[in-house]
Structures are given as C-alpha cells and as structure tokens.
Amino acid sequence: MARALRLAEQGRGTTSPNPLVGCVLVRDGAVVGEGYHRRAGEDHAEIVALRDAGDAAAGATAYVTLEPCDHHGRTPPCSQALIRAGVRRVVVAALDPNPVVDGSGVRRLRDAGIEVDVGVRRDEAQRQNEVFRTSQLLGRPFVLYKTAMTLDGKIATRAGHSRWITSETSRARVQRWRHELDAVAVGVSTVLLDDPRLTARVEHGRTPMKVVFDAVARTPPGAALLAPDDAGVPARVTVFVGPSAPDDRVAALRDAGAAVVTLDGPKGRPSVAAALGELHRREVRSVLLEGGGTLAWSFLEARAIDRVAWFIGPKLLGGNGATPLGGLGVKTMDEAIRLVDLRSEMSGDDLLLTARVRHPDAPREEAAATADLQEGRS
C-alpha cells in the first residue's frame, strides 16, 4: 500500500476534479503490475495496473488507495474490470467519500466472491486526498491559506514593502502549490499593492485559475494577472464583485478577458460561501488563498479554510499593524479557531507550520467526522 500511495502522488496537479489513486498488483509475493491515475478522462489506476499485469492479474491481490469506482463516468467501472481480470483479493486504503457511492465498489467486489479488506493506511490515504474529500463531503473547494510573516508577526514593512519575507526555497514551494491546486485567490488590495501575475513558475506546470475578491471592481484592466503567461496561454481570471460595483468598471474587466460574477454578501462584499459554490460548479476543487489578512478572516468566518501553511521568516520589522489576519477577531479564548494535525519543518531559512483548521463550535471536524462514519460501513 505504501508503494500504491507513492504512485498516486505522481498524479498530483493533473487529476482534478478526480482524486489521486495508485494501484499495485501482487501475486506470489511479487509485483506483477502497477499504475496510477494520471489525469481526468484517462484510465484509472486499476485499469493501468491490470494492463501492466496482463494475464498475471488472475489470482493476484490488488492494493488500491481508494475504493474502486462502480459507476460509469468518463471511464467504465474499475470494480467490474477487477472482477473480469480474476483478481482474488482487493485491499483498499480508504472508501470513496462521495455519498452517492456509499460503498458500492466494495459491495460489488464482495458479491463477486472477492475478498476485500478496507482501512490499510487509511489516514495517509485520506490526507493525500483531502482536496477530493472536501469537495465531495462539503460541496465546495478545499482551501489552503498560505501566508508569510516575520518572526515578530508582520507581513510587510510600515511602507507596505513585502518582498521578500521568505527564502527562495519557500517561494518555490508556493509555486508548486499554484501548479497543484486549481485556483489561487487574492483580494483586490493585493492586486493594487503588488500587481502579481499569480502564475505557476514550475517547469511543465499549469497556471491556476486566478480569483480576485473585489467588491467595487477596482482591479485595473491592465493588471498583470490578466496577461497571458510566458507560453502565451490566456489567463483564466474570475473576479467576484458586489452588487454596487460600477457597470463601466465591470464592463472594462470583461473586455480585458475576466469573468465577472456579482455576488451579494456582508457589507456589500461578495459572499465567500457563494463564491466557493460558484467555483465548485466550474470544477474548481481546490483554492490557494494568498490574499491579505482581511480576506483571510472573511474565509475563516465562512468556515472555508481547511488547512493553513504559515511561513515564518527569520526577520524583525517592528511597527504596528500588517498582520496575517484582520477582521474583528474573536472576543474570548473559548472562541479561538484551533489548529490540529500541526506539523513543522524548515523551508530554507524559514520555519513552515502546516495544520488543519478546526472551529470551536464544530461537534466534530466536518470532513473527518464524515470519513469516520463512512469507514464504519466497511
């Protein structure tokens, strides 16, 4: 299963809106076939592994990181392919979180007389597919909030200068996240202050959809993020505006190639929940949130940040303000938003902290709780 998980990882950044899946076929103690899902619309991991194994698949054990599908989508059901190949046993890391599936792949295999075990390295498999799980269980994209601050908690100098807080190593990691995730989101203040391109500067990488939260359409039609990338590929930009955005500014952005969506929300700003729902309908399954503190707090208030990636650069700036989170904040420590599954590592000269977000009033962590219930069906 460890080998299958490593194989699945090779599809990161190319499979959306599908999950990462790896499969290894073993017979008589030897690997006879293996494969992973490369991109949406192409063969699933099980089909690749079966083709690799050929006739040796008969009587083999299949180790697969996600429950084999049992329905027709862009490709035929993998459960039936495993049955036709004569596989003797299937070991599954995690069940498919899609509520519509409801364990049907496992049931199909067992009804055919195949031995099925579920839960081997489940936690690793679920973490690997946290994007897919969030999309299926919560009906919105997975959101990773990335921020960088100095050791004294500042994201910019008193003059607004912020390049660069972190090391080249950390910035390269952010570029990989842009390649791997479907969209990158910022607030209009970031656009006006930094004029970022928001491209993924990764060899053979893909540039994500660029999303701007801009209540009154202040994004300049000549902003760098609206320009084609270095390969000449037109930018995909969605600007969420509020109902009071002037018609002439909206028209100018559309003429520049942006998709402009009007959404109402608190204080006339676009609703975060509605925006994520709209992105999900457009098959955006993951968002890298790179906006400033005000936008980040709006996402937290909407319970729409799933994981944080917090870079801390070894620098001191002093002064007031310029912090990673804005908004009103909470009144008491009991209302504090908790971080769980905390992990730390060095990223060049910087400290990187990553963690999942857990709100204090959640009876159980939403996606994880549903996962526990699903695994109980096995």
Side-chain angles (χ1 to χ4, degrees), residues 139-141 240 263 271-283:
R140 63 161 175 79
F240 290 111
L263 297 173
S271 161
V272 169
L276 290 176
E278 179 63 29
L279 291 174
H280 196 261
R281 284 189 288 275
R282 299 181 184 204
E283 289 202 337

Side-chain angles (χ1 to χ4, degrees), residues 3-12 14-15 19-24 34-39 42-49 51 65:
R3 186 178 181 123
L5 287 164
R6 289 195 298 272
L7 284 168
E9 197 61 33
Q10 295 183 45
R12 188 170 294 279
T14 62
T15 65
L20 300 169
V21 185
C23 180
V24 176
E34 60 185 23
Y36 67 96
H37 183 44
R38 293 178 181 271
R39 57 179 48 86
E42 295 189 7
D43 287 336
H44 289 185
E46 298 93 322
I47 305 303
V48 177
R51 185 166 57 243
T65 59

Side-chain angles (χ1 to χ4, degrees), residues 83-165:
I83 293 168
R84 288 195 301 271
V87 168
R88 177 183 62 83
R89 177 176 174 236
V90 177
V91 181
V92 176
L95 293 179
D96 191 326
N98 187 342
V100 176
V101 174
D102 195 35
S104 60
V106 167
R107 285 196 299 275
R108 172 83 66 175
L109 295 169
R110 286 175 173 161
D111 289 346
I114 295 175
E115 179 185 352
V116 181
D117 295 306
V118 178
V120 175
R121 305 189 83 132
R122 182 189 69 181
D123 291 348
E124 293 169 69
Q126 289 182 344
R127 180 183 172 91
Q128 184 178 65
N129 266 321
E130 61 184 349
V131 167
F132 183 69
R133 296 183 61 77
T134 300
S135 168
Q136 292 297 318
L137 296 172
L138 302 183
R140 63 161 175 79
F142 170 89
V143 177
L144 170 65
Y145 172 46
K146 183 278 300 181
T147 190
M149 69 179 192
T150 59
L151 190 58
D152 57 341
K154 301 295 184 287
I155 61 173
T157 69
R158 64 180 182 178
H161 188 252
S162 60
R163 296 183 179 178
W164 297 104
I165 290 174

Side-chain angles (χ1 to χ4, degrees), residues 209-296:
M209 177 188 290
K210 305 168 187 181
V211 178
V212 182
F213 285 80
D214 183 0
V216 292
R218 291 188 294 154
T219 299
L225 59 84
L226 287 160
D229 65 16
D230 293 339
V233 178
R236 295 178 301 134
V237 181
T238 298
V239 181
F240 290 111
V241 302
S244 62
D247 292 341
D248 59 335
R249 294 183 189 174
V250 169
L253 284 172
R254 286 178 173 150
D255 288 344
V260 183
V261 181
T262 302
L263 297 173
D264 200 0
K267 299 181 180 179
R269 299 189 183 99
S271 161
V272 169
L276 290 176
E278 179 63 29
L279 291 174
H280 196 261
R281 284 189 288 275
R282 299 181 184 204
E283 289 202 337
V284 171
R285 297 296 183 256
S286 54
V287 174
L288 177 62
L289 178 60
E290 293 195 40
T294 300
L295 182 61

Side-chain angles (χ1 to χ4, degrees), residues 62-85:
Y63 294 86
V64 60
T65 59
L66 188 69
E67 175 184 7
C69 64
D70 190 50
H71 58 280
H72 282 270
R74 296 178 181 177
T75 57
C78 293
S79 59
Q80 296 179 25
L82 291 166
I83 293 168
R84 288 195 301 271

